[in-house]
Amino acid sequence: MNDIAIDFSKVHQIQLFGITILEPSSVLSSLMMTAVCVYGFVQLNKLGRTHAMYKQTQYFFLFMGLATAIGGILGHGFLYLTGQPGKIPGWFSSMIAVALFERAAIWHVKPLLSEKIGKYLGWLNYVELSIFFVLALVTLNFIVVEVHAFYGLFLMLCLIEIYVYRKKKDPGSRYIFIATFLGAVSAGFHALKFSFGPWFNYNDIAHIPMALSIYYYYLGARDMRYYGSDVLVREKQIQ
């Protein structure tokens, strides 16, 4: 279990109306990502599309918004009150978000695959999320969330979209490739712990390309085209 004692007096902090907030810069950069998620969710909702592929991309932004807000407020700002277990709701929201976009990609590619392979990918999505949920609870280690994000976004989502793009030249796929690259940049900053000091540390730096990555995921979700003939997809013209 990742249960490391932290001397919170040595963590950079501010006092606001008598309330201690740890790592305020990380709280703000997390809420910056939340704002991008809210924007993506609202804009996709305006399109009024009803197919599962589109709804799942939309709810990716809802759960990722919850994850970044909870992560910033509980995982950074009030960690001294919640401890490591306070990070769990944000971790779970993040993993649900990743699984939702991954499942949307499965819907995206399904019409281009055999029915058997499509069903296999769908079941794999459920099994994967269940396994990582259990691992996160047992270990209380953020690396589980990172590994799940790598698997869901870098392997499953990106590889599926490469296949779709080769077959259909889907306009949404190109934005997803950019989002994947920006996500890799963010992960690199975080892994290297590159910092300019406590008030602009590796978390804050990593959150900038991650916010851009989320925006490009929005563009990808907006422009994805469904290729199945089993349902009529109602789309409003993008304003």
Side-chain angles (χ1 to χ4, degrees), residues 11-220:
V11 178
H12 68 289
Q13 56 191 264
I14 61 172
Q15 296 287 326
L16 190 63
F17 304 112
I19 300 172
T20 299
I21 301 175
L22 302 178
E23 299 181 304
S25 54
S26 296
V27 174
L28 288 175
S29 59
S30 294
L31 294 179
M32 171 185 67
M33 293 189 291
T34 303
V36 178
C37 290
V38 171
Y39 176 82
F41 179 80
V42 170
Q43 293 301 312
L44 292 176
N45 188 57
K46 288 180 180 179
L47 298 180
R49 300 180 297 194
T50 58
H51 187 267
M53 183 185 83
Y54 294 117
K55 298 305 289 185
Q56 285 161 355
T57 58
Q58 183 181 341
Y59 283 103
F60 161 83
F61 294 97
L62 176 63
F63 280 95
M64 189 58 74
L66 287 172
T68 53
I70 294 170
I73 295 169
L74 298 184
H76 290 287
F78 296 101
L79 183 62
Y80 64 95
L81 294 177
T82 64
Q84 195 76 345
K87 295 175 178 283
I88 292 293
W91 292 357
F92 274 24
S93 296
S94 171
M95 289 190 285
I96 291 171
V98 169
L100 281 167
F101 214 132
E102 181 187 337
R103 194 160 192 84
I106 293 169
W107 272 108
H108 202 196
V109 78
K110 258 186 176 183
L112 311 179
L113 301 174
S114 69
E115 184 179 353
K116 183 178 180 180
I117 294 176
K119 286 183 177 179
Y120 170 77
L121 289 175
W123 280 109
L124 181 62
N125 178 255
Y126 288 125
V127 172
E128 153 224 323
L129 184 60
S130 300
I131 290 172
F132 278 97
F133 267 9
V134 172
L135 289 174
L137 277 175
V138 170
T139 64
L140 285 182
N141 197 319
F142 184 64
I143 195 171
V144 174
V145 183
E146 293 179 312
V147 171
H148 179 257
F150 176 80
Y151 171 83
L153 298 178
F154 290 85
L155 293 183
M156 290 295 290
L157 174 58
C158 190
L159 290 178
I160 286 173
E161 291 303 319
I162 288 173
Y163 183 85
V164 173
Y165 187 75
R166 289 182 64 184
K167 292 287 185 180
K168 295 291 186 179
K169 296 295 186 287
D170 188 89
S173 299
R174 290 175 292 181
Y175 289 121
I176 290 173
F177 300 151
I178 297 172
T180 303
F181 170 75
L182 289 167
V185 172
S186 174
F189 281 132
H190 195 274
L192 294 173
K193 298 191 183 304
F194 181 79
S195 300
F196 289 109
W199 291 92
F200 194 54
N201 62 27
Y202 62 92
N203 285 316
D204 312 322
I205 295 170
H207 287 170
I208 295 172
M210 183 54 67
L212 287 171
S213 177
I214 293 169
Y215 178 72
Y216 275 96
Y217 278 125
Y218 154 68
L219 295 179

